[in-house]
Amino acid sequence: MNLNFVWLALGEALSPTTAAYALATIGLVVHFGFTGLLNFGQAGFMAVGGYAFAITTLKLDWPAPFAFLATIAAATLFALILGIPTLRLRADYLAIVTIAAAEIIRLSVKTAELTEITGGATGLNGAGRVFNELNPIPEGRYGFGVLTYTADQLWLRVFGWALVLLACLIVYLLIRSPWGRVIKGIREDEDAVRSLGKNVFAYKMQALIFGGILGGLAGALFILPRSLQPDNYGTQLTFFLYTIMLLGGATTVFGPVIGSMIFWVVLSLSDGLLSLGINSGILPLTTTQQGPIRFIIVGVALALLVVFRPQGLLGNKKEVFFNA
Amino acid sequence: MTDHSSRVRRAFAALVGLLVGFLAVFAAVAAPASAAPASSAPRAAGDVIDPNTAEESIAVWIRQTSDKAGIPGVGVTVIGDDFDQTFTTDAEGRVYVGLPGPGTYSVEVDEATIPAASGTLPDAASPREVRVAQTNKNVPANFLASTTAGGGAAAPAPDETGGSTPAPSNTDEATGAAPPSATTGGTGFWGVVATKLATGLIFGLLLALAAIGASLIFGTTGLNNFAHGELVTFGGLMAYTLASFGAPGWLGILGAIVLGGLFGLVQDTAIWRPLRRRRVGLIPLMIVSIGLALATRYVYVLFYGGDRLTLPNNPAPFLVLGPISLRFTDVFGAVIAIVVLLGVAYVMLRTKLGKAARAVADNAPLAAASGINVDRVIRFVWIGAGALAGLSGVLIAYYQALRWDTGSAILLLIFAAVTLGGLGSAFGALVGSLVLSVFMNLATLVLPENLKYAAALVVLILILLFRPQGILGRKERVG
């Protein structure tokens, strides 16, 4: 019996994809957990960031640091366009507008007319190469057993997790600052904050931009180890991020990191166990039936979490604001 | 209440007006059908790609209806992005076309090269849009020529409608797309407009069936049901299951309605009512519906696979009015939808249950205080919504295609239609669906086909910004 999958699944905890999901979820925590904005379009922010990074590196030949700046600029712009008209809407209206905006982005970049710029339905490939030019780690193989990485793979992991930790630190400091107290106040009672003379709209917009930038950077990080596929940015990406957020704790800073690690390790483990069961004939399924099961697990987990443990693993039940 | 009922009456008038307009469109364009598309001069763009090494390819097979023998030497033109090549069928009537990438390709048979003895293709068969997903090899594009007048009407082969497209890619712009038959167009600009109007109205009626349920659920419980698309898919899948046991079409449709209603009842009893009892907030409820949607959708994949499923359908034109060519199921689907919608209007306006439902939607505590059993009303709303969504699902399956994500792909369209008409209003949902669907189809006059779904979502956002109460909704504070 080959149990390598256990190690590979544990290795998922540190993969760049896990880091990208964690980063995007930190952005979502800023939106939903701290400000109370029901943003269902985080996949749109990731798409905007990913495309900004890929287009500037591949089509305009910008070096990676400038491409990251372009990513931040694009996410800011998207947040402004989205936020100016919608931040005055009720929570569930905002949810529908953001989910629609994310779908508009995904469908627009896919059109054949834009193939020159966005690669159409096939997307863009090779943004990771430009990023690897920055790699300071000498050639060679690092790690042990099945978890051995090339210099480029190691560089990507180090960079990705450094970015996540940096984001955690900034959010941690911001939430403890006067600014953080105001946005938490907006989450609890918008009118009360308004009556104190605070410009609620401006604070909401700042939170939307900040969380959106984290989402955009996550989108860039997400495409470094793979090619950019427009269909990766569908609505279910946002739903995955919500599952991660509710798993770790929607009102915590480190919840998204723990949530993302658990999410991906559990998914890989379940995939591995299913493969094992199917190949040995224990489970009466075919290998093509294996794929859907991970989504069923996510869906059931999301529904159960929000009802039975809305505060997540790290959260405080007293701070669960959305159960009213 | 008088204000409310006058609004309802206005809505009813609007509904009747729209249905009359629907018929007028048919009458107005009853010009003689145009000839088959003229075969153009040989063109070439892009390189010929070896189908054996290409990641994606189309397998064209042209046969005779009578003995299923392949027709050799027929010209076939395949057009896609940066790709425009003409091929000739081999001795078996087949030709394999290597493609530069996934996408939608137009496959056109040069009818002039079909020997007279083999007859002609049905009017609607060529050119045909073939959707090719990533790494899909030999996607079938089968054509049957026949000598009987009226094309393949005499012997429609089950694979005539395009066969299966394997690979569960999560593309969804196929939804709301024109059905294969209704877009042969050809009598100039107004012909195209008429075709798009007809397509838009039919799809709008089917969308309305689903949207009314979603609107009633929102109105009575405040829930934005993200799992409504799965109710729609459920109806289609049930009809498919019944058809695979050999049940006739009408039984499939009836089964979809009954089982859909049952599904709604089970959902309310097992999930939503206990959650209401727990006083779970609206945002968590919405997230529960998202989880439920995700899980249900992939349970469908588990049992039905990721491929497109085809209900037995006759692709031959049944009703040809000028440039508009409709299949039997297109016409019948629209008729069934109109009848059912009128039935819903009757229930909502004239029966005690409908009045109770509207009262709960207006003000639930007040309704409860006046002796209405709110929980019972909500249960009936779920049953009705499930049944309507199930009917919508089976009709959409006949109209375009059925897949595990057929319903979830139109979920945002349902939301857009509900919002456009006015949240919580059944008639608003109907008007919203028709307006949205017609707008979407007419938008393709100036927009690329695959952006029409995006255009509908832009409408959704604009309404929420400028008239959040919708066309027929009541004004209330939304921000």
Side-chain angles (χ1 to χ4, degrees):
Chain A
M1 194 153 76
N2 186 352
L3 288 178
N4 267 350
F5 76 88
V6 177
W7 292 108
L8 287 173
L10 292 179
E12 275 293 315
L14 291 177
S15 82
T17 309
T18 307
Y21 274 66
L23 191 59
T25 312
I26 295 170
L28 201 57
V29 162
V30 172
H31 289 157
F32 179 73
F34 291 126
T35 322
L37 300 173
L38 200 50
N39 170 21
F40 273 171
Q42 192 69 346
F45 280 102
M46 286 182 78
V48 165
Y51 271 97
F53 188 83
I55 291 170
T56 48
T57 50
L58 295 173
K59 305 282 172 181
L60 305 175
D61 291 322
W62 290 16
F66 289 101
F68 277 114
L69 289 179
T71 304
I72 292 174
T76 308
L77 190 68
F78 185 57
L80 284 171
I81 295 173
L82 201 61
I84 288 172
T86 59
L87 283 182
R88 299 173 201 277
L89 295 176
R90 208 172 63 193
D92 51 344
Y93 282 68
L94 183 70
I96 294 180
V97 169
T98 46
I99 201 173
E103 283 291 276
I104 291 171
I105 296 275
R106 182 176 71 85
L107 295 168
S108 304
V109 293
K110 270 175 81 173
T111 44
E113 282 74 8
L114 290 176
T115 306
E116 275 298 300
I117 306 165
T118 62
T122 33
L124 295 165
N125 194 1
R129 218 180 41 247
V130 182
F131 173 74
N132 286 337
E133 286 166 8
L134 298 179
N135 186 357
I137 300 172
E139 280 296 320
R141 303 193 61 80
Y142 301 87
F144 55 90
V146 288
L147 299 179
T148 308
Y149 304 118
T150 65
D152 282 347
Q153 286 170 333
L154 184 65
W155 163 233
L156 184 54
R157 282 166 173 74
V158 170
F159 176 82
W161 285 105
L163 204 57
V164 170
L165 290 180
L166 183 66
C168 283
L169 183 68
I170 295 174
V171 173
Y172 181 74
L173 293 177
L174 271 179
I175 293 309
R176 289 162 60 93
S177 74
W179 185 83
R181 281 194 292 278
V182 174
I183 61 161
K184 278 163 98 172
I186 293 174
R187 177 188 78 192
E188 301 296 336
D189 190 340
E190 215 180 297
D191 290 331
V193 174
R194 202 174 276 131
S195 73
L196 292 174
K198 302 287 182 194
N199 183 347
V200 168
F201 180 75
Y203 277 97
K204 277 187 178 176
M205 182 59 95
Q206 287 156 9
L208 186 70
I209 292 174
F210 179 53
I213 288 173
L214 295 182
L217 287 172
L221 186 59
F222 182 65
I223 59 162
L224 292 177
R226 59 173 64 77
S227 72
L228 177 90
Q229 295 281 340
D231 282 332
N232 281 342
Y233 301 95
T235 49
Q236 61 195 24
L237 174 56
T238 304
F239 300 157
F240 280 13
L241 299 180
Y242 265 84
T243 310
I244 291 173
M245 180 176 71
L246 291 168
L247 187 63
T251 55
T252 62
V253 176
F254 294 97
V257 178
I258 304 292
S260 183
M261 286 179 168
I262 295 176
F263 182 85
W264 283 107
V265 170
V266 168
L267 279 195
S268 318
L269 266 183
S270 67
D271 272 3
L273 284 173
L274 281 171
S275 295
L276 203 66
I278 290 166
N279 292 336
S280 57
I282 299 170
L283 290 171
L285 295 169
T286 62
T287 42
T288 50
Q289 283 178 315
Q290 188 192 331
I293 289 182
R294 65 156 54 184
F295 295 101
I296 298 174
I297 295 173
V298 174
V300 172
L302 179 60
L304 292 180
L305 270 173
V306 76
V307 175
F308 294 107
R309 199 172 168 86
Q311 75 271 37
L313 292 174
L314 299 184
N316 176 357
K317 185 125 199 179
K318 281 189 197 134
E319 226 188 327
V320 174
F321 61 94
F322 49 84
N323 218 357
Chain B
M1 200 62 211
T2 41
D3 174 49
H4 187 88
S5 54
S6 79
R7 206 181 64 236
V8 166
R9 216 167 293 132
R10 261 206 327 277
F12 196 69
L15 155 71
V16 173
L18 274 165
L19 297 182
V20 170
F22 181 47
L23 296 172
V25 169
F26 282 140
V29 291
S34 69
S39 61
S40 46
R43 297 152 298 185
D47 300 317
V48 176
I49 297 161
D50 183 358
N52 297 317
T53 58
E55 286 283 296
E56 291 87 15
S57 60
I58 291 178
V60 182
W61 196 10
I62 302 174
R63 288 174 296 170
Q64 240 166 292
T65 307
S66 48
D67 54 0
K68 294 282 188 289
I71 310 173
V74 179
V76 177
T77 306
V78 178
I79 303 169
D81 308 329
D82 301 324
F83 187 79
D84 188 341
Q85 292 285 338
T86 302
F87 304 86
T88 311
T89 55
D90 62 11
E92 290 178 350
R94 288 179 187 272
V95 59
Y96 298 95
V97 182
L99 302 172
T104 303
Y105 292 86
S106 156
V107 179
E108 186 171 355
V109 178
D110 184 357
E111 303 207 32
T113 56
I114 300 177
S118 304
T120 55
L121 295 178
D123 284 345
S126 166
R128 177 184 299 164
E129 300 275 295
V130 177
R131 283 164 47 76
V132 182
Q134 200 131 32
T135 69
N136 262 9
K137 292 193 176 62
N138 296 331
V139 178
N142 298 338
F143 296 89
L144 288 174
S146 106
T147 47
T148 45
D159 61 352
E160 177 78 322
T161 44
S164 68
T165 34
S169 64
N170 54 351
T171 49
D172 53 13
E173 53 281 5
T175 50
S181 78
T183 50
T184 41
T187 51
F189 179 73
W190 292 111
V192 176
V193 171
T195 308
K196 289 192 185 300
L197 259 177
T199 318
L201 283 171
I202 294 179
F203 185 73
L205 288 169
L206 308 189
L207 187 64
L209 289 174
I212 285 178
S215 185
L216 284 174
I217 288 173
F218 179 84
T220 49
T221 67
L223 168 70
N224 276 308
N225 183 17
F226 277 75
H228 209 78
E230 277 55 48
L231 286 172
V232 174
T233 315
F234 184 78
L237 290 176
M238 288 305 107
Y240 175 82
T241 311
L242 288 170
S244 65
F245 284 120
W250 62 266
L251 192 62
I253 292 174
L254 205 67
I257 296 174
V258 172
L259 293 171
L262 201 65
F263 192 36
L265 173 67
V266 168
Q267 263 194 36
D268 185 49
T269 314
I271 301 171
W272 305 114
R273 204 154 68 108
L275 290 182
R276 281 200 299 277
R277 289 266 159 88
R278 279 177 69 107
R279 301 192 175 280
V280 175
L282 286 181
I283 291 173
L285 276 187
M286 194 150 84
I287 297 175
V288 169
S289 81
I290 289 172
L292 180 70
L294 208 56
T296 318
R297 198 181 311 162
Y298 284 94
V299 167
Y300 296 157
V301 183
L302 203 58
F303 286 104
Y304 292 89
D307 294 351
R308 208 173 97 177
L309 309 167
T310 313
L311 285 166
N313 196 353
N314 185 342
F318 169 75
L319 180 67
V320 178
L321 292 162
I324 305 169
S325 158
L326 298 172
R327 294 168 302 181
F328 175 73
T329 47
D330 301 341
V331 178
F332 237 71
V335 170
I336 293 175
I338 291 173
V339 170
V340 170
L341 289 171
L342 289 173
V344 171
Y346 177 79
V347 170
M348 291 303 290
L349 291 177
R350 291 275 175 269
T351 66
K352 224 172 171 180
L353 182 65
K355 284 175 185 166
R358 277 170 30 225
V360 172
D362 248 2
N363 187 336
L366 187 62
S370 358
I372 293 174
N373 184 344
V374 174
D375 235 24
R376 183 171 157 273
V377 168
I378 291 175
R379 184 160 69 234
F380 277 109
V381 164
W382 270 100
I383 295 173
L388 287 172
L391 175 63
S392 167
V394 57
L395 294 182
I396 288 175
Y398 274 119
Y399 188 56
Q400 39 195 35
L402 175 63
R403 247 175 43 164
W404 55 281
D405 64 349
T406 295
S408 57
I410 64 163
L411 178 69
L412 287 179
L413 291 184
I414 293 175
F415 282 173
V418 168
T419 316
L420 177 59
L423 282 167
S425 145
F427 300 102
L430 168 60
V431 176
S433 300
L434 290 173
V435 172
L436 185 76
S437 175
V438 168
F439 167 81
M440 233 166 69
N441 280 281
L442 289 182
T444 57
L445 289 170
V446 288
L447 282 177
E449 179 77 19
N450 53 358
L451 270 190
K452 70 178 180 186
Y453 188 84
L457 298 181
V458 171
V459 172
L460 167 66
I461 292 179
L462 292 179
I463 303 157
L464 281 176
L465 298 183
F466 296 110
R467 200 183 151 81
Q469 74 271 34
I471 298 174
L472 299 177
R474 61 186 161 233
K475 252 199 172 115
E476 66 180 323
R477 188 178 142 74
V478 292

